[in-house]
């Protein structure tokens, strides 16, 4: 679920965007699109503020963060919803009437080039959604009757894993292992840990 997080009203944020020279808007939007493509994480706000100040535009970090959040939100929305450049520009126009025609044309141009790439990445991510292990609990038990243990009164390990899917929804997975199965499980985790240490 996408959430737009800005500290002030929509028109106020767009007014800040419109204060910027068009080449600086293009550069800023391109950085946002490339970050989304590369999934490199956050935009460097200090560096962005410095660029704005060198261009003679004094915006504080909150204002710059609002610009980044607004445009990142719409670029993500466009990628997730497979919006055409016309549809994205229409959504921005509905959001705020303060967007100038040259800024919307710039968004149209950039989205025409980068939108399809972002959408295909979004589809790949949704197809390859992998949950995150949140918690793991285990307990040692004694089998009284089992179809996998050959003899009664043999020990087993019961494991409960809490897994959060990509939407944040938690699910629980449980399984039981015999001692030899657990030893193999442990050995594999130990191998993964040693490989991770070399990275």
């Amino acid at each position: 679920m996408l959430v737009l997080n800005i500290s002030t009203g929509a028109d106020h944020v767009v007014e800040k965007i419109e204060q910027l020279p068009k080449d600086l808007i293009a550069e800023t939007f391109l950085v946002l699109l490339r970050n989304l493509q590369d999934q490199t994480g956050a935009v460097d706000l200090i560096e962005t503020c410095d660029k704005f100040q060198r261009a003679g535009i004094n915006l504080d970090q909150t204002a710059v963060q609002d610009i980044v959040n607004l445009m990142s939100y719409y670029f993500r929305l466009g990628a997730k919803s497979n919006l055409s450049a016309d549809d994205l520009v229409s959504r921005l126009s509905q959001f705020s009437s303060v967007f100038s025609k040259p800024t919307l044309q710039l968004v149209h141009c950039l989205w025409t080039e980068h939108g399809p790439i972002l959408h295909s990445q979004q589809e790949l991510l949704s197809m390859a959604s992998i949950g995150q292990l949140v918690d793991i609990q285990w307990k040692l038990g004694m089998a009284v009757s089992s179809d996998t243990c050959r003899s009664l009164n043999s020990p087993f390990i019961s494991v409960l894993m809490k897994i959060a899917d990509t939407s944040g929804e938690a699910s629980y997975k449980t399984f039981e292992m015999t001692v030899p199965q657990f030893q193999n499980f442990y050995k594999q985790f130990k191998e993964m840990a040693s490989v991770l240490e070399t990275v």
Side-chain angles (χ1 to χ4, degrees), residues 99-116:
F99 275 110
S100 68
K101 188 172 182 174
T103 300
L104 292 173
Q105 288 172 334
L106 175 64
V107 169
H108 191 283
C109 179
L110 289 170
W111 190 252
T112 300
E113 182 180 343
H114 296 275

Side-chain angles (χ1 to χ4, degrees), residues 94-166:
Q94 290 169 7
F95 178 73
S96 173
S97 61
V98 178
F99 275 110
S100 68
K101 188 172 182 174
T103 300
L104 292 173
Q105 288 172 334
L106 175 64
V107 169
H108 191 283
C109 179
L110 289 170
W111 190 252
T112 300
E113 182 180 343
H114 296 275
I117 297 167
L118 284 172
H119 174 67
S120 63
Q121 284 180 327
Q122 199 69 46
E123 282 187 327
L124 284 173
L125 285 174
S126 66
M127 287 186 337
S129 63
I130 298 174
Q132 179 181 6
L133 181 63
V134 176
D135 188 27
I136 187 166
Q137 298 174 13
W138 63 274
K139 64 180 175 181
L140 179 63
M142 191 63 74
V144 177
S145 68
S146 172
D147 54 349
T148 59
C149 294
R150 296 190 183 185
S151 62
L152 297 177
N153 298 328
S154 57
F156 69 94
I157 311 300
S158 178
V159 179
L160 171 68
M161 293 191 300
K162 181 179 180 182
I163 300 169
D165 65 15
T166 53

Side-chain angles (χ1 to χ4, degrees), residues 45-58:
L45 289 179
I46 295 171
E47 179 183 323
T48 306
C49 285
D50 288 345
K51 281 182 193 175
F52 291 175
Q53 286 178 350
R54 285 193 299 272
I57 308 297
N58 290 317

Side-chain angles (χ1 to χ4, degrees), residues 10-196:
D11 289 341
H12 184 71
V13 176
V14 176
E15 286 169 1
K16 299 295 182 190
I17 292 171
E18 294 299 337
Q19 287 179 8
L20 302 171
K22 294 304 169 215
D23 60 330
L24 196 52
I25 294 174
E27 182 183 344
T28 303
F29 289 179
L30 192 56
V31 166
L32 293 174
L33 287 165
R34 287 189 177 143
N35 274 7
L36 292 173
Q37 276 178 255
D38 300 337
Q39 297 184 357
T40 55
V43 173
D44 186 340
L45 289 179
I46 295 171
E47 179 183 323
T48 306
C49 285
D50 288 345
K51 281 182 193 175
F52 291 175
Q53 286 178 350
R54 285 193 299 272
I57 308 297
N58 290 317
L59 296 177
D60 62 15
Q61 281 189 346
T62 303
V64 173
Q65 182 70 62
D66 285 344
I67 293 169
V68 167
N69 288 349
L70 173 69
M71 295 313 299
S72 293
Y73 170 82
Y74 275 98
F75 290 150
R76 282 190 183 103
L77 177 69
K80 194 171 188 168
S81 304
N82 195 20
L83 296 179
S84 67
D86 290 334
D87 291 337
L88 180 61
V89 165
S90 173
R91 294 263 181 117
L92 287 169
S93 297
Q94 290 169 7
F95 178 73
S96 173
S97 61
V98 178
F99 275 110
S100 68
K101 188 172 182 174
T103 300
L104 292 173
Q105 288 172 334
L106 175 64
V107 169
H108 191 283
C109 179
L110 289 170
W111 190 252
T112 300
E113 182 180 343
H114 296 275
I117 297 167
L118 284 172
H119 174 67
S120 63
Q121 284 180 327
Q122 199 69 46
E123 282 187 327
L124 284 173
L125 285 174
S126 66
M127 287 186 337
S129 63
I130 298 174
Q132 179 181 6
L133 181 63
V134 176
D135 188 27
I136 187 166
Q137 298 174 13
W138 63 274
K139 64 180 175 181
L140 179 63
M142 191 63 74
V144 177
S145 68
S146 172
D147 54 349
T148 59
C149 294
R150 296 190 183 185
S151 62
L152 297 177
N153 298 328
S154 57
F156 69 94
I157 311 300
S158 178
V159 179
L160 171 68
M161 293 191 300
K162 181 179 180 182
I163 300 169
D165 65 15
T166 53
S167 69
E169 189 83 18
S171 62
Y172 294 88
K173 305 290 182 200
T174 59
F175 56 93
E176 292 181 355
M177 296 181 281
T178 62
V179 171
Q181 289 172 327
F182 176 75
Q183 288 169 337
N184 184 40
F185 183 73
Y186 172 74
K187 179 182 165 199
Q188 289 177 356
F189 265 88
K190 204 170 166 183
E191 288 173 10
M192 285 190 289
S194 67
V195 168
L196 285 174

